Every structure is written in structure tokens, then in C-alpha cells.
Amino acid sequence: MKKLKPEQVLKRVEKAESRKEEWRSIFEDCYKYALPQRNLYGQYEGGGHGRSKMDDVFDSTAINSTQRFANRLQSALFPPYRNWCTLKAGDQIPPEQRDGVARALDIYNERMFSVIRQTNFDLAMSEFLLDLAVGTAIMLIQPGDEITPVRFEAVPQFLVSLEEGPYGKIDNVYRRLRLKGEAIKQQWTDAKFPPALKDKIKADPMEDIDLIEATIYLPEDDYWCYHLLWKKEEIVYRELKTSPWIVARYIKAAGEIYGRGPLLNALPDIKTINHTKKMLLQNASIAISGMYTAADDGVLNPSTIRIQPGAIIPVARNGGPQGASLAPLPRSGDFNLAQIVIQDLSMGIKKIMLDDTMPPDSMSARSATEVNMRMQELASNMGAAFGRLITEAMIPIVSRILFVMDQQNLIDMPLRVDGQEVKVVPVSPLAKAQATEELTAVLQFTQMAGSLGPSGILSINQEEMIAFVADRLGVPQKVLNTPAQKAEQMLLAQQQMETMAQQAPTEAAPEPPAA
């Protein structure tokens, strides 16, 4: 396939954005009520930096539950400053080579996480998972410098439009961005400015420039084309071996490009509780300050009345056959019923956002068994979303990080993370909770076999069982002995036993009695 012209790229961008516009009302409501501080709808177009985004929000249940949803997912899948995955030998590696390959991959794994700890990965992942609560999360992974080898950027989905390829995979990503003119050359050192853009930047280097990024996959050539456009002019063009974009969907309906997160399920309750809180506050305001009726008797002027402490309001009468000139209006509404409705809605929102299993802060410390059971409950509640996060987020992130590390000569050789040569195995708390059932079954069988006597014990291959348990628990390969080391230790133990057997008769022989 030949290189696309700027006009063709812009046509693709417009078509992708028109498809995304169909989701605008849903996404706008989700960000308005649950992620107001990350909401760009209606403000980015007008350049509304610093505007208040909480004017229409009267209840914080959705905001708090969304934040906890992202925090729980990060702690369960990508815990900060911990190794949340490990690299394992793929199925194509011969069995006799797997121990050596596993030890080499452990070194690569430690090196990868040491690089991750030097970056802003944990901060970007927190924002990434906030967007995932809406349905679609997007992250940009690019090479950095010596201090920060890899740069992570969680891009709000408002700025990005997507195109799917075969099998429901995201191939093409388009982004609108706004930068100062003087920053363009700093970020893209290979940028070639047309004369009109040069004059514009020279006249005002601080003026914002609207650009379009397009990353398009060419299946015939098996690489990605990267275009940076200003209006209809192309200022940067690159050919990439891997896509820098990571796009994850929580769940996805057939035929749809964008994902649907738990916030979409909770949106009716969120809007209802927000409106109920608004009416409750209005009712409370009326209960505090009151509402009044004024008689049009030519004496009382309603426009000059001020209801405040110590105020004197001139009236024609305070009673009598014609009634008072100014009288309070009876208040309607039931505060108790509103509180019951709000409590039910709040519990429903928390349950949808997986926020119903968190223990209260006043409770005592939780045991390891209870924490493990809670992780299993979280895994069962997430369902298919867990597998999609591994496939669309964890594995592509690891693959892209290793590719960037290879580009910067931080590893000795490139690794192909395809499941055949190298595969990514999650070892996060949630993944360990998933493996607990398998471990429990093996340990129960071992106990039952031990109770059956020698025949039951001999039926268990202890070396394979130890390897299985270590693999499910994510134990590093360097902790385990190689077959050669096992044979050497067994030989040494045998020699020590023979030496002790030879010395035992000499030490145990009694001295002859004295004459």
C-alpha cells in the first residue's frame, strides 16, 4: 500500500470522528456526573481552561465510586512499585531449554520493572483506569530520554477517535492536540514546517497551534504510518514497527468500536440521585428561608421586601377577614422519604462500580484469607472484563515497553511477546486470586494422598508439583535450583550421609574397662 496523502488522512479522520459523535451524549453525561475534572466536552472547543466543572453536580457518590473503581483495579492488576507480571518461555521453546530461558527472562523482567519505576507509569495508569470506567481507555507510550527511558501519557478519549481492523482490533488512532508553536519543534525534531506555519510561529511563539496525529496500519507492508498534520499540510511522517497506542475496552458490543464501562450501567441511577439531591437542597432552602404570599393591596410592594433578621416589613394588616398582607406559603415534601431514595440509589451505584465490598475504616485488620476471598469476589464480578484487560492492556503495554527498551539499547536482544517464544503471565493480586482455586485443588489432593499411606505419596511427582506451585504463585526462576544443581546437592547429601555412617561405629564404641 502506498503512503496516504494528507487529504486522504483528513478524510479518514473526519469519518472516524463522525462515528464517535454518535456516542457524544452518553460520554458527555458520564464525564459530567462521574469525572467532571476530566471532562473536556463543551470546554476544549472554546478553550475554557480554569472553568468550574462542578456546577451541575449535586451528589458525589458517582465521583467517589469511580475513583475507587480505578484505585481497586490498579491495586489488583497494576499495583504500584510491584512486579505485576512476569515473562515466561513460550510453547515453542524446547523443554530442555526452558530453565535457561526462564532465568534469562527473569533478568529481562527485573530490568523492565526497574525502567518502569523510573517513569510516570503509575500516574498514567491511574488516569487510564478512570477512563476505563466510562468504557474506553487510551494510553500513548513513547521513547524518552536517559532520565525517563519511557514516557506514558493517558490521553482523554474526547481527543481521540478510533478505527477497527479485522477481529475487532483497534488499528488506526487519530488525535487532535493543541500545542504552543515553539513546542512543536521540541517534541518533533524531524518536523518540516511549511512557510505559513513558520511565519505564524515566528509572529507569536506562544500561540496555540491545532494539530492532528494519525497512526494508520498498512496490512500489506505490516507497519504503521505516523502522520502529523497542520491543516492540510503534513509536517511529520514516520514509519513505525509497532503502534505507540494502547486502547483497552471494558466490555464491547458486537459491531461497536468503543467500549461500554460500568458507568454506563450506573448512569440512570447517577442522574436520578443527582436530580433528587438538587430537589432536596431546594426544599431545604425553602424550609430555611421560607416562601411567602403577598396581597396586592396598594400598600405592600413585594419587590422591596427583604427577608432577613431584624427586617421591618410595612403591611396594611396582619389578619382580619381579608387575611394577612404577607403570609408564609406552606412547605411540601418529605425529607425522610428523599433520604431513603438517595440511600437506595447510592447503594446501587456503588454495587455497579464494584465499590460494595470495601470494608469500613472502623473495622479491625483483615486476615490474609479474607483479603484473598475479596480478590476472588472482585475477579468473579469483573467477569470477561478481566480477560479483556489482560489482552488489550497488559500484554500490549509489556510488548511496547520491551520494544522501546530495545530501541534504546536497554536490553541485549529484542523479545517477541507472542505467546510462542515469550508470553506474559500476570502475577498481580487479582491474577493470584484467579490461580488460588488451582492451587487449592492440588494441595487438597496432596493431603488426601498423604493420608493414604506410602502408595499415595509415591503417586505424586514432587518436582512437578513444586514447579506447578511456584509457577502459579509467580516465584522467580532464580529462587529454584536447576536440574544440575539438584543433582549436585543430592550427591553432596549422599556423601555426607556415607561419611556419617562410617564415623558412627567409631564414635559409639565403648572404652574397655580398666584392669
Side-chain angles (χ1 to χ4, degrees):
M1 182 181 292
K2 296 182 180 180
K3 173 187 171 183
L4 297 177
K5 297 179 180 179
E7 295 80 7
Q8 295 174 312
V9 175
L10 289 174
K11 188 176 180 180
R12 283 174 170 260
V13 174
E14 292 174 359
K15 191 171 184 179
E17 288 182 344
S18 65
R19 290 178 178 174
K20 183 187 174 184
E21 195 66 20
E22 300 173 358
W23 295 78
R24 183 183 180 97
S25 61
I26 298 177
F27 290 161
E28 191 171 0
D29 286 342
C30 288
Y31 280 95
K32 178 180 178 180
Y33 295 112
L35 291 169
Q37 306 301 341
R38 201 168 169 78
N39 183 19
L40 297 177
Y41 286 91
Q43 301 197 20
Y44 184 86
E45 298 94 333
H49 301 293
R51 291 183 183 177
S52 175
K53 300 182 178 182
M54 301 280 288
D55 294 340
D56 296 329
V57 179
F58 298 92
D59 182 78
S60 61
T61 303
I63 298 175
N64 295 333
S65 293
T66 303
Q67 187 66 54
R68 289 183 180 180
F69 170 84
N71 292 342
R72 291 196 71 190
L73 250 63
Q74 185 169 11
S75 300
L77 283 173
F78 304 95
Y81 291 96
R82 289 176 58 185
N83 294 6
W84 34 262
C85 76
T86 184
L87 302 176
K88 295 289 185 181
D91 299 334
Q92 290 184 351
I93 304 299
E96 62 274 7
Q97 298 179 6
R98 288 189 178 180
D99 287 337
V101 172
R103 293 178 182 276
L105 291 177
D106 281 345
I107 297 175
Y108 278 76
N109 195 69
E110 291 297 331
R111 193 173 299 176
M112 179 183 70
F113 278 100
S114 67
V115 169
I116 290 177
R117 293 184 185 101
Q118 293 179 245
T119 66
N120 63 329
F121 175 80
D122 294 328
L123 299 177
M125 181 53 64
S126 176
E127 299 176 1
F128 179 85
L129 294 174
L130 285 174
D131 287 333
L132 186 69
V134 180
T136 306
I138 303 161
M139 182 182 290
L140 180 63
I141 303 178
Q142 294 179 311
D145 49 26
E146 295 181 356
I147 299 176
T148 307
V150 187
R151 289 193 175 95
F152 300 89
E153 180 184 359
V155 182
Q157 65 175 354
F158 171 80
L159 301 174
V160 178
S161 54
L162 309 172
E163 278 186 351
E164 267 189 346
Y167 313 111
K169 182 181 177 182
I170 298 296
D171 282 344
N172 305 333
V173 180
Y174 310 104
R175 175 170 72 150
R176 292 188 178 271
L177 67 160
R178 187 175 292 161
L179 289 177
K180 294 184 299 182
E182 63 179 8
I184 298 177
K185 193 65 177 179
Q186 298 175 9
Q187 187 164 343
W188 292 275
T189 57
D190 56 342
K192 298 178 181 179
F193 297 134
L197 183 57
K198 282 183 180 180
D199 296 339
K200 189 173 184 178
I201 296 175
K202 186 176 180 180
D204 187 2
M206 299 297 293
E207 183 182 356
D208 288 336
I209 306 296
D210 290 327
L211 303 172
I212 295 177
E213 274 185 318
T215 307
I216 302 173
Y217 178 64
L218 303 181
E220 296 179 0
D221 302 318
D222 194 21
Y223 63 80
W224 280 262
C225 291
Y226 175 83
H227 305 263
L228 182 65
L229 305 178
W230 174 71
K231 296 184 177 179
K232 294 184 178 181
E233 300 286 342
E234 184 178 80
I235 60 177
V236 175
Y237 174 76
R238 298 172 183 172
E239 294 179 357
L240 309 175
K241 293 183 180 178
T242 62
S243 176
W245 295 97
I246 308 297
V247 181
R249 281 79 58 91
Y250 190 79
I251 58 174
K252 176 181 171 297
E256 294 182 346
I257 299 177
Y258 298 90
R260 294 179 177 267
L263 270 178
L264 269 66
N265 297 331
L267 192 57
D269 288 352
I270 293 172
K271 296 171 77 171
T272 303
I273 193 175
N274 192 74
H275 190 63
T276 304
K277 271 284 187 76
K278 181 180 179 180
M279 292 191 297
L280 182 63
L281 292 174
Q282 291 173 344
N283 197 3
S285 176
I286 294 173
I288 294 173
S289 60
M291 294 179 64
Y292 300 85
T293 59
D296 187 8
D297 55 3
V299 176
L300 181 67
N301 185 3
S303 61
T304 61
I305 293 177
R306 295 292 181 267
I307 305 297
Q308 60 186 10
I312 298 177
I313 304 173
V315 296
R317 60 190 176 277
N318 284 324
Q322 295 181 352
S325 296
L326 183 68
L329 184 69
R331 181 183 59 84
S332 63
D334 189 348
F335 281 96
N336 295 328
L337 179 59
Q339 292 294 339
I340 294 174
V341 172
I342 290 173
Q343 184 178 1
D344 291 343
L345 292 171
S346 178
M347 291 177 61
I349 294 170
K350 290 182 177 181
K351 189 169 185 179
I352 294 173
M353 299 303 297
L354 308 179
D355 190 24
D356 59 328
T357 57
M358 293 293 290
D361 296 336
S362 59
M363 298 295 289
S364 58
R366 327 312 283 180
S367 64
T369 303
E370 184 175 354
V371 172
N372 190 24
M373 292 299 295
R374 289 178 182 273
M375 280 296 173
Q376 291 185 13
E377 182 181 1
L378 176 62
S380 62
N381 289 339
M382 288 185 64
F386 174 75
R388 181 174 285 276
L389 284 175
I390 299 300
T391 304
E392 292 190 348
M394 182 177 289
I395 294 178
I397 287 173
V398 172
S399 180
R400 176 64 181 174
I401 291 173
L402 291 173
F403 177 80
V404 173
M405 290 175 63
D406 178 57
Q407 278 188 323
Q408 298 185 342
N409 298 321
L410 296 176
I411 54 178
D412 299 331
M413 60 179 294
L415 296 180
R416 186 178 178 185
V417 184
D418 58 356
Q420 301 298 321
E421 296 181 2
V422 179
K423 58 183 178 181
V424 177
V425 178
V427 293
S428 59
L430 187 57
K432 290 181 179 179
Q434 294 274 44
T436 301
E437 297 181 2
E438 299 180 14
L439 289 174
T440 302
V442 171
L443 295 178
Q444 286 180 351
F445 173 75
T446 303
Q447 294 176 356
M448 294 176 63
S451 64
L452 298 177
S455 59
I457 297 176
L458 294 175
S459 64
I460 300 174
N461 188 332
Q462 295 186 0
E463 292 187 0
E464 292 293 334
M465 186 186 72
I466 291 173
F468 175 82
V469 173
D471 179 70
R472 293 300 184 271
L473 293 178
V475 177
Q477 193 68 23
K478 62 183 179 182
V479 177
L480 305 176
N481 286 328
T482 62
Q485 291 173 335
K486 291 179 184 178
E488 182 179 354
Q489 290 187 0
M490 292 181 63
L491 180 60
L492 181 61
Q494 185 178 1
Q495 291 176 354
Q496 290 177 350
M497 292 179 63
E498 292 177 355
T499 303
M500 293 175 61
Q502 293 175 359
Q503 294 176 354
T506 304
E507 295 175 356
E511 297 181 359

